[in-house]
PDB file of all heavy atoms in Angstrom:
ATOM      1  N   LYS A  71     115.946  23.897   4.578  1.00 86.00           N
ATOM      2  CA  LYS A  71     115.420  25.241   4.612  1.00 86.00           C
ATOM      3  C   LYS A  71     116.284  26.205   5.402  1.00 86.00           C
ATOM      4  O   LYS A  71     115.903  27.273   5.793  1.00 86.00           O
ATOM      5  CB  LYS A  71     114.010  25.223   5.262  1.00 86.00           C
ATOM      6  CG  LYS A  71     112.961  24.479   4.472  1.00 86.00           C
ATOM      7  CD  LYS A  71     111.591  24.530   5.102  1.00 86.00           C
ATOM      8  CE  LYS A  71     110.610  23.716   4.282  1.00 86.00           C
ATOM      9  NZ  LYS A  71     109.247  23.695   4.869  1.00 86.00           N
ATOM     10  N   GLY A  72     117.508  25.744   5.647  1.00 85.00           N
ATOM     11  CA  GLY A  72     118.494  26.587   6.288  1.00 85.00           C
ATOM     12  C   GLY A  72     118.166  26.722   7.821  1.00 85.00           C
ATOM     13  O   GLY A  72     118.724  27.575   8.483  1.00 85.00           O
ATOM     14  N   SER A  73     117.356  25.814   8.339  1.00 90.00           N
ATOM     15  CA  SER A  73     117.099  25.866   9.759  1.00 90.00           C
ATOM     16  C   SER A  73     117.606  24.580  10.413  1.00 90.00           C
ATOM     17  O   SER A  73     118.785  24.465  10.619  1.00 90.00           O
ATOM     18  CB  SER A  73     115.591  26.085  10.098  1.00 90.00           C
ATOM     19  OG  SER A  73     114.851  25.051   9.428  1.00 90.00           O
ATOM     20  N   PHE A  74     116.731  23.553  10.603  1.00 96.00           N
ATOM     21  CA  PHE A  74     117.241  22.335  11.203  1.00 96.00           C
ATOM     22  C   PHE A  74     117.982  21.522  10.159  1.00 96.00           C
ATOM     23  O   PHE A  74     117.881  21.777   8.975  1.00 96.00           O
ATOM     24  CB  PHE A  74     116.041  21.502  11.785  1.00 96.00           C
ATOM     25  CG  PHE A  74     115.193  20.863  10.709  1.00 96.00           C
ATOM     26  CD1 PHE A  74     115.476  19.599  10.231  1.00 96.00           C
ATOM     27  CD2 PHE A  74     114.111  21.516  10.125  1.00 96.00           C
ATOM     28  CE1 PHE A  74     114.673  19.049   9.279  1.00 96.00           C
ATOM     29  CE2 PHE A  74     113.332  20.962   9.141  1.00 96.00           C
ATOM     30  CZ  PHE A  74     113.633  19.691   8.704  1.00 96.00           C
ATOM     31  N   SER A  75     118.774  20.574  10.696  1.00 97.00           N
ATOM     32  CA  SER A  75     119.567  19.692   9.834  1.00 97.00           C
ATOM     33  C   SER A  75     119.325  18.271  10.229  1.00 97.00           C
ATOM     34  O   SER A  75     118.983  17.948  11.354  1.00 97.00           O
ATOM     35  CB  SER A  75     121.046  20.039   9.917  1.00 97.00           C
ATOM     36  OG  SER A  75     121.841  19.114   9.182  1.00 97.00           O
ATOM     37  N   THR A  76     119.505  17.362   9.257  1.00 97.00           N
ATOM     38  CA  THR A  76     119.464  15.908   9.555  1.00 97.00           C
ATOM     39  C   THR A  76     120.778  15.290   9.087  1.00 97.00           C
ATOM     40  O   THR A  76     121.346  15.717   8.065  1.00 97.00           O
ATOM     41  CB  THR A  76     118.292  15.205   8.844  1.00 97.00           C
ATOM     42  OG1 THR A  76     118.366  15.414   7.461  1.00 97.00           O
ATOM     43  CG2 THR A  76     116.978  15.731   9.401  1.00 97.00           C
ATOM     44  N   LEU A  77     121.178  14.253   9.794  1.00 97.00           N
ATOM     45  CA  LEU A  77     122.345  13.489   9.461  1.00 97.00           C
ATOM     46  C   LEU A  77     121.902  12.005   9.381  1.00 97.00           C
ATOM     47  O   LEU A  77     121.383  11.485  10.349  1.00 97.00           O
ATOM     48  CB  LEU A  77     123.483  13.597  10.486  1.00 97.00           C
ATOM     49  CG  LEU A  77     124.757  12.791  10.279  1.00 97.00           C
ATOM     50  CD1 LEU A  77     125.502  13.253   9.044  1.00 97.00           C
ATOM     51  CD2 LEU A  77     125.644  12.795  11.467  1.00 97.00           C
ATOM     52  N   GLU A  78     122.022  11.455   8.185  1.00 97.00           N
ATOM     53  CA  GLU A  78     121.620  10.055   8.064  1.00 97.00           C
ATOM     54  C   GLU A  78     122.802   9.140   7.840  1.00 97.00           C
ATOM     55  O   GLU A  78     123.739   9.531   7.089  1.00 97.00           O
ATOM     56  CB  GLU A  78     120.674   9.909   6.872  1.00 97.00           C
ATOM     57  CG  GLU A  78     120.176   8.498   6.651  1.00 97.00           C
ATOM     58  CD  GLU A  78     119.264   8.280   5.424  1.00 97.00           C
ATOM     59  OE1 GLU A  78     119.238   9.183   4.557  1.00 97.00           O
ATOM     60  OE2 GLU A  78     118.571   7.220   5.345  1.00 97.00           O
ATOM     61  N   ILE A  79     122.806   8.034   8.477  1.00 97.00           N
ATOM     62  CA  ILE A  79     123.812   7.062   8.222  1.00 97.00           C
ATOM     63  C   ILE A  79     123.145   5.787   7.726  1.00 97.00           C
ATOM     64  O   ILE A  79     122.217   5.215   8.303  1.00 97.00           O
ATOM     65  CB  ILE A  79     124.553   6.665   9.536  1.00 97.00           C
ATOM     66  CG1 ILE A  79     125.092   7.892  10.243  1.00 97.00           C
ATOM     67  CG2 ILE A  79     125.755   5.713   9.195  1.00 97.00           C
ATOM     68  CD1 ILE A  79     125.712   7.561  11.581  1.00 97.00           C
ATOM     69  N   GLN A  80     123.555   5.388   6.537  1.00 97.00           N
ATOM     70  CA  GLN A  80     122.939   4.164   5.923  1.00 97.00           C
ATOM     71  C   GLN A  80     123.793   2.984   6.197  1.00 97.00           C
ATOM     72  O   GLN A  80     125.021   3.082   6.325  1.00 97.00           O
ATOM     73  CB  GLN A  80     122.784   4.399   4.402  1.00 97.00           C
ATOM     74  CG  GLN A  80     121.799   5.516   4.067  1.00 97.00           C
ATOM     75  CD  GLN A  80     121.629   5.691   2.591  1.00 97.00           C
ATOM     76  OE1 GLN A  80     122.568   5.488   1.787  1.00 97.00           O
ATOM     77  NE2 GLN A  80     120.479   6.006   2.122  1.00 97.00           N
ATOM     78  N   ARG A  81     123.204   1.817   6.236  1.00 97.00           N
ATOM     79  CA  ARG A  81     123.898   0.533   6.440  1.00 97.00           C
ATOM     80  C   ARG A  81     124.937   0.661   7.602  1.00 97.00           C
ATOM     81  O   ARG A  81     126.125   0.519   7.363  1.00 97.00           O
ATOM     82  CB  ARG A  81     124.558   0.099   5.144  1.00 97.00           C
ATOM     83  CG  ARG A  81     123.623   0.051   3.976  1.00 97.00           C
ATOM     84  CD  ARG A  81     124.320  -0.340   2.638  1.00 97.00           C
ATOM     85  NE  ARG A  81     125.402   0.485   2.322  1.00 97.00           N
ATOM     86  CZ  ARG A  81     125.287   1.640   1.683  1.00 97.00           C
ATOM     87  NH1 ARG A  81     124.116   2.145   1.424  1.00 97.00           N
ATOM     88  NH2 ARG A  81     126.356   2.360   1.399  1.00 97.00           N
ATOM     89  N   THR A  82     124.466   0.972   8.721  1.00 97.00           N
ATOM     90  CA  THR A  82     125.334   1.222   9.867  1.00 97.00           C
ATOM     91  C   THR A  82     126.316   0.106  10.121  1.00 97.00           C
ATOM     92  O   THR A  82     125.962  -1.052   9.939  1.00 97.00           O
ATOM     93  CB  THR A  82     124.576   1.559  11.178  1.00 97.00           C
ATOM     94  OG1 THR A  82     123.620   0.505  11.369  1.00 97.00           O
ATOM     95  CG2 THR A  82     123.905   2.899  11.042  1.00 97.00           C
ATOM     96  N   GLU A  83     127.497   0.489  10.579  1.00 96.00           N
ATOM     97  CA  GLU A  83     128.539  -0.508  10.988  1.00 96.00           C
ATOM     98  C   GLU A  83     128.867  -0.236  12.390  1.00 96.00           C
ATOM     99  O   GLU A  83     128.619   0.830  12.918  1.00 96.00           O
ATOM    100  CB  GLU A  83     129.743  -0.236  10.050  1.00 96.00           C
ATOM    101  CG  GLU A  83     129.524  -0.417   8.558  1.00 96.00           C
ATOM    102  CD  GLU A  83     130.673  -0.032   7.770  1.00 96.00           C
ATOM    103  OE1 GLU A  83     131.716   0.440   8.308  1.00 96.00           O
ATOM    104  OE2 GLU A  83     130.585  -0.180   6.490  1.00 96.00           O
ATOM    105  N   GLN A  84     129.482  -1.254  13.078  1.00 96.00           N
ATOM    106  CA  GLN A  84     129.851  -1.061  14.447  1.00 96.00           C
ATOM    107  C   GLN A  84     130.783   0.082  14.632  1.00 96.00           C
ATOM    108  O   GLN A  84     130.760   0.724  15.702  1.00 96.00           O
ATOM    109  CB  GLN A  84     130.425  -2.408  14.967  1.00 96.00           C
ATOM    110  CG  GLN A  84     129.347  -3.438  15.122  1.00 96.00           C
ATOM    111  CD  GLN A  84     129.900  -4.755  15.690  1.00 96.00           C
ATOM    112  OE1 GLN A  84     131.033  -5.142  15.436  1.00 96.00           O
ATOM    113  NE2 GLN A  84     129.059  -5.462  16.531  1.00 96.00           N
ATOM    114  N   GLY A  85     131.658   0.375  13.680  1.00 95.00           N
ATOM    115  CA  GLY A  85     132.620   1.492  13.794  1.00 95.00           C
ATOM    116  C   GLY A  85     131.916   2.809  13.778  1.00 95.00           C
ATOM    117  O   GLY A  85     132.538   3.856  13.996  1.00 95.00           O
ATOM    118  N   ASP A  86     130.622   2.857  13.438  1.00 96.00           N
ATOM    119  CA  ASP A  86     129.842   4.116  13.470  1.00 96.00           C
ATOM    120  C   ASP A  86     129.470   4.535  14.890  1.00 96.00           C
ATOM    121  O   ASP A  86     128.982   5.649  15.162  1.00 96.00           O
ATOM    122  CB  ASP A  86     128.618   4.069  12.630  1.00 96.00           C
ATOM    123  CG  ASP A  86     128.947   3.838  11.122  1.00 96.00           C
ATOM    124  OD1 ASP A  86     130.039   4.256  10.714  1.00 96.00           O
ATOM    125  OD2 ASP A  86     128.104   3.203  10.434  1.00 96.00           O
ATOM    126  N   SER A  87     129.585   3.592  15.821  1.00 97.00           N
ATOM    127  CA  SER A  87     129.208   3.868  17.214  1.00 97.00           C
ATOM    128  C   SER A  87     130.035   5.067  17.773  1.00 97.00           C
ATOM    129  O   SER A  87     131.304   5.022  17.715  1.00 97.00           O
ATOM    130  CB  SER A  87     129.429   2.669  18.123  1.00 97.00           C
ATOM    131  OG  SER A  87     128.605   1.597  17.706  1.00 97.00           O
ATOM    132  N   ALA A  88     129.348   6.076  18.137  1.00 97.00           N
ATOM    133  CA  ALA A  88     130.069   7.294  18.574  1.00 97.00           C
ATOM    134  C   ALA A  88     129.064   8.330  19.091  1.00 97.00           C
ATOM    135  O   ALA A  88     127.804   8.021  19.030  1.00 97.00           O
ATOM    136  CB  ALA A  88     130.812   7.940  17.425  1.00 97.00           C
ATOM    137  N   MET A  89     129.491   9.459  19.549  1.00 96.00           N
ATOM    138  CA  MET A  89     128.627  10.544  19.873  1.00 96.00           C
ATOM    139  C   MET A  89     128.626  11.482  18.658  1.00 96.00           C
ATOM    140  O   MET A  89     129.688  11.844  18.163  1.00 96.00           O
ATOM    141  CB  MET A  89     129.114  11.299  21.086  1.00 96.00           C
ATOM    142  CG  MET A  89     128.403  12.567  21.391  1.00 96.00           C
ATOM    143  SD  MET A  89     126.830  12.284  22.242  1.00 96.00           S
ATOM    144  CE  MET A  89     127.407  12.475  23.904  1.00 96.00           C
ATOM    145  N   TYR A  90     127.512  11.870  18.231  1.00 97.00           N
ATOM    146  CA  TYR A  90     127.331  12.757  17.023  1.00 97.00           C
ATOM    147  C   TYR A  90     126.873  14.137  17.606  1.00 97.00           C
ATOM    148  O   TYR A  90     125.801  14.247  18.179  1.00 97.00           O
ATOM    149  CB  TYR A  90     126.403  12.252  16.006  1.00 97.00           C
ATOM    150  CG  TYR A  90     127.008  11.012  15.330  1.00 97.00           C
ATOM    151  CD1 TYR A  90     126.948   9.750  15.875  1.00 97.00           C
ATOM    152  CD2 TYR A  90     127.764  11.163  14.132  1.00 97.00           C
ATOM    153  CE1 TYR A  90     127.571   8.693  15.285  1.00 97.00           C
ATOM    154  CE2 TYR A  90     128.429  10.079  13.544  1.00 97.00           C
ATOM    155  CZ  TYR A  90     128.303   8.836  14.085  1.00 97.00           C
ATOM    156  OH  TYR A  90     128.961   7.766  13.544  1.00 97.00           O
ATOM    157  N   LEU A  91     127.691  15.137  17.424  1.00 97.00           N
ATOM    158  CA  LEU A  91     127.499  16.439  17.992  1.00 97.00           C
ATOM    159  C   LEU A  91     127.150  17.434  16.874  1.00 97.00           C
ATOM    160  O   LEU A  91     127.766  17.393  15.809  1.00 97.00           O
ATOM    161  CB  LEU A  91     128.750  16.922  18.728  1.00 97.00           C
ATOM    162  CG  LEU A  91     129.098  16.210  20.025  1.00 97.00           C
ATOM    163  CD1 LEU A  91     130.548  16.475  20.412  1.00 97.00           C
ATOM    164  CD2 LEU A  91     128.171  16.597  21.133  1.00 97.00           C
ATOM    165  N   CYS A  92     126.238  18.293  17.182  1.00 97.00           N
ATOM    166  CA  CYS A  92     125.871  19.377  16.284  1.00 97.00           C
ATOM    167  C   CYS A  92     126.221  20.665  16.960  1.00 97.00           C
ATOM    168  O   CYS A  92     126.129  20.791  18.191  1.00 97.00           O
ATOM    169  CB  CYS A  92     124.321  19.288  15.981  1.00 97.00           C
ATOM    170  SG  CYS A  92     123.679  20.648  15.001  1.00 97.00           S
ATOM    171  N   ALA A  93     126.660  21.643  16.138  1.00 95.00           N
ATOM    172  CA  ALA A  93     126.980  22.927  16.639  1.00 95.00           C
ATOM    173  C   ALA A  93     126.454  24.001  15.707  1.00 95.00           C
ATOM    174  O   ALA A  93     126.329  23.725  14.509  1.00 95.00           O
ATOM    175  CB  ALA A  93     128.526  23.100  16.860  1.00 95.00           C
TER     176      ALA A  93
END
Side-chain angles (χ1 to χ4, degrees):
Chain A
K71 297 181 180 179
S73 57
F74 73 91
S75 174
T76 57
L77 177 69
E78 181 183 16
I79 309 174
Q80 295 182 326
R81 305 181 303 281
T82 52
E83 301 173 356
Q84 288 182 325
D86 297 331
S87 296
M89 173 80 93
Y90 290 84
L91 292 162
C92 175

